[in-house]
């Protein structure tokens, strides 16, 4: 007789603040290992956790070079003085890496192979800029041509063009992201999971998300957004528009509507989540906060690159026997404003239930960590509002999508 497989539960979530991803950002002097060590030690203290009970640490990192290279997960485990028996692995599914780590941890636990797994990710974008690791996608002309590569911003503008989203539409979405994030920070909604980062001497580096801008005057803020030049028009004129339009010949021209104010910010940050089955949690004296109901990944068209969330969500919901209307709150990563706008439209979801505390447009997108961050933010907000179900999803470089469905317990 077959033994029933265990459910995977989320026991806790911690994250650093997101620091501006430039040399004058307040997390620039903190190495990626230091960010992870800050969180590993915080998680251990919060839960009075015997780290010897943890089987593995699974981390996402999109640019695994330099200080972020050579399996930073294992390095961080040892540097944080966790039990030597705790293994560590680093992986990349581009922008989805942080959520992929959680889903891999859940699969390990649900298979019965492991009991407790820490999952998450890190990205120090001020120290190791996006693309530092190269790759055939960018550097091999044959691959570049065969796959019809264009920068993600071109794909975002193509999405907006196909959906009929105007510059005013995407700017309005961005302004609302800033407004929601500022309100959430002012009300302390991020306090449960946010762990301040100090330097080696104990001096505070950062205790809040650095790029949130208070929206004091909505008209002035809207005018400021309207004055920003499109970020990807020049790239498009260099030939990338032609490449994209060859895949989408029904489009006469791409309307370039995205810019720095309605696209995700470049930031530093890290996040961790503890996942395990019920028996392991009980043995460690832990109380579960949520059950991972379903998870899914899909491949999507690689030139436009950003349309994967919709099919990924539908695949995950089908696994769970659910419909979009069954989800109370959504986190749809704000890589570019058009992405959550399109995903919500596709799924028939009211934007009032999407990214209710703002998103990456306001707070930034630390590539390897973002997926774990938004899932943790989703869980915190479900608890704050007394709601039950949530879904987190991201578009992914190379044309992919990912989604995870959780239910409070």
């Amino acid at each position: 007789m077959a033994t029933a497989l265990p459910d995977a539960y989320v026991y806790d979530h911690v994250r650093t603040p997101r620091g501006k991803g430039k040399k004058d950002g307040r997390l620039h002097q903190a190495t990626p290992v230091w960010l992870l060590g800050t969180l590993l030690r915080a998680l251990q203290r919060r839960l009075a956790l015997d780290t010897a009970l943890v089987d593995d640490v699974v981390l996402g990192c999109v640019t695994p070079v330099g200080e972020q290279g050579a399996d930073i997960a294992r390095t961080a485990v040892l540097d944080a003085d966790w039990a030597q028996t705790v293994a560590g692995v680093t992986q990349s599914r581009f922008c989805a890496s942080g959520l992929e780590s959680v889903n891999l941890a859940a699969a390990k636990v649900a298979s019965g192979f492991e009991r407790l797994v820490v999952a998450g990710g890190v990205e120090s974008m001020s120290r190791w800029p996006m693309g530092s690791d190269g790759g055939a996608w960018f550097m091999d002309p044959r691959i570049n041509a065969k796959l019809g590569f264009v920068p993600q911003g071109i794909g975002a503008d193509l999405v907006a063009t196909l959906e009929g989203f105007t510059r005013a539409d995407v700017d309005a979405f961005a302004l609302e992201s800033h407004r929601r994030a500022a309100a959430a920070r002012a009300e302390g909604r991020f306090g449960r999971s946010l762990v301040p980062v100090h330097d080696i001497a104990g001096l505070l580096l950062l205790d809040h998300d650095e790029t949130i801008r208070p929206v004091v005057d909505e008209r002035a803020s809207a005018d400021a957004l309207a004055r920003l030049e499109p970020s990807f028009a020049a790239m498009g004129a260099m030939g990338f528009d032609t490449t994209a339009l060859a895949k989408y010949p029904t489009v006469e021209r791409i309307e370039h509507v995205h810019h720095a104010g309605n696209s995700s910010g470049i930031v530093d940050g890290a996040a961790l989540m503890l996942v395990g089955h019920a028996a392991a949690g009980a043995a460690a004296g832990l109380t579960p906060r949520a059950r991972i109901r379903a998870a899914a990944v899909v491949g999507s068209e690689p030139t436009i690159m950003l349309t994967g969330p919709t099919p990924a969500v539908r695949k995950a919901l089908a696994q769970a026997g659910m419909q979009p209307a069954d989800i109370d709150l959504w986190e749809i990563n704000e890589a570019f404003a058009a992405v959550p706008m399109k995903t919500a439209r596709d799924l028939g979801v009211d934007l009032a239930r999407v990214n209710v505390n703002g998103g990456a447009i306001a707070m930034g997108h630390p590539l390897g960590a973002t997926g774990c961050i938004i899932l943790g933010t989703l869980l915190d907000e479900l608890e704050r509002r007394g709601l039950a179900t949530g879904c987190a999803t991201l578009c992914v470089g190379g044309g992919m999508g990912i989604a995870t469905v959780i239910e409070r317990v």
Side-chain angles (χ1 to χ4, degrees):
M1 183 176 177
T3 302
L5 295 174
D7 285 325
Y9 293 96
V10 175
Y11 287 98
D12 207 2
H13 162 73
V14 291
R15 71 170 179 93
T16 68
R18 282 165 278 199
K20 185 170 62 172
K22 297 183 179 179
K23 290 185 178 180
D24 62 346
R26 290 173 59 183
L27 291 183
H28 174 67
Q29 75 178 76
T31 65
V33 170
W34 186 263
L35 296 178
L36 290 169
T38 295
L39 295 184
L40 286 166
R41 287 184 287 270
L43 193 63
Q44 182 180 7
R45 287 193 304 269
R46 282 162 62 110
L47 301 176
L49 180 64
D50 177 0
T51 61
L53 297 175
V54 176
D55 293 297
D56 202 3
V57 173
V58 182
L59 293 180
C61 183
V62 176
T63 311
V65 296
E67 300 157 319
Q68 296 183 155
D71 193 1
I72 192 173
R74 176 61 173 166
T75 306
V77 163
L78 296 174
D79 184 54
D81 299 316
W82 276 37
Q84 185 174 290
T85 53
V86 182
V89 62
T90 308
Q91 55 79 28
S92 173
R93 195 187 288 280
F94 291 147
C95 311
S97 298
L99 193 57
E100 175 69 8
S101 293
V102 176
N103 293 350
L104 287 173
K108 285 168 167 278
V109 167
S111 71
F113 288 167
E114 294 178 7
R115 295 164 52 84
L116 283 176
V117 181
V118 171
V122 65
E123 208 76 37
S124 182
M125 301 181 76
S126 69
R127 299 173 72 94
W128 298 98
M130 183 167 47
S132 298
D133 57 333
W137 185 258
F138 309 102
M139 301 179 71
D140 184 329
R142 182 184 68 82
I143 295 295
N144 191 285
K146 179 178 180 179
L147 301 184
F149 166 80
V150 301
Q152 283 193 348
I154 303 292
D157 287 340
L158 178 54
V159 169
T161 302
L162 288 165
E163 295 293 321
F165 298 145
T166 67
R167 170 68 182 264
D169 293 333
V170 291
D171 280 358
F173 182 93
L175 183 59
E176 180 66 5
S177 179
H178 284 286
R179 189 195 66 75
R180 292 181 182 186
R185 185 174 69 179
E187 294 175 16
R189 296 185 192 178
F190 303 130
R192 176 166 185 172
S193 299
L194 198 65
V195 177
V197 178
H198 297 79
D199 68 12
I200 198 167
L203 299 176
L204 179 66
L205 294 178
L206 189 62
D207 63 358
H208 61 277
D209 293 309
E210 191 174 9
T211 62
I212 295 177
R213 295 175 176 85
V215 180
V216 178
D217 183 332
E218 293 211 11
R219 182 66 263 162
S221 297
D223 289 344
L225 286 175
R227 287 194 296 269
L228 294 174
E229 292 294 323
S231 295
F232 307 103
M235 290 183 188
M238 291 168 55
F240 288 118
D241 278 5
T242 300
T243 300
L245 293 174
K247 286 279 187 80
Y248 295 86
T250 59
V251 177
E252 182 178 347
R253 71 165 188 253
I254 296 174
E255 300 294 337
H256 291 287
V257 298
H258 288 91
H259 51 76
N262 58 32
S263 306
S264 55
I266 294 172
V267 294
D268 302 332
L272 297 176
M273 186 170 281
L274 181 62
V275 179
H277 60 58
L286 305 174
T287 301
R289 294 175 60 187
R291 177 165 66 101
I292 297 176
R293 286 279 303 268
V297 292
V298 300
S300 59
E301 199 280 296
T303 295
I304 203 167
M305 202 183 299
L306 306 173
T307 55
T310 296
V313 166
R314 287 177 173 152
K315 185 176 179 181
L317 290 177
Q319 289 177 10
M322 301 172 75
Q323 298 293 326
D326 298 323
I327 298 297
D328 293 320
L329 291 178
W330 296 80
E331 284 286 330
I332 306 173
N333 188 42
E334 295 174 359
F336 303 91
V339 175
M341 293 171 67
K342 172 180 168 50
T343 305
R345 174 185 282 181
D346 289 345
L347 298 170
V349 172
D350 188 338
L351 285 173
R353 295 192 288 132
V354 176
N355 304 351
V356 296
N357 290 324
I361 289 172
M363 292 179 281
H365 178 15
L367 304 177
T370 302
C372 183
I373 290 175
I374 66 174
L375 189 65
T377 298
L378 180 64
L379 175 55
D380 287 346
E381 190 63 15
L382 287 172
E383 290 176 339
R384 193 184 77 85
R385 296 185 180 212
L387 299 175
T389 57
C391 181
T393 183
L394 299 91
C395 57
V396 189
M400 292 183 282
I402 191 170
T404 303
V405 178
I406 60 171
E407 181 179 30
R408 283 182 56 217
V409 296

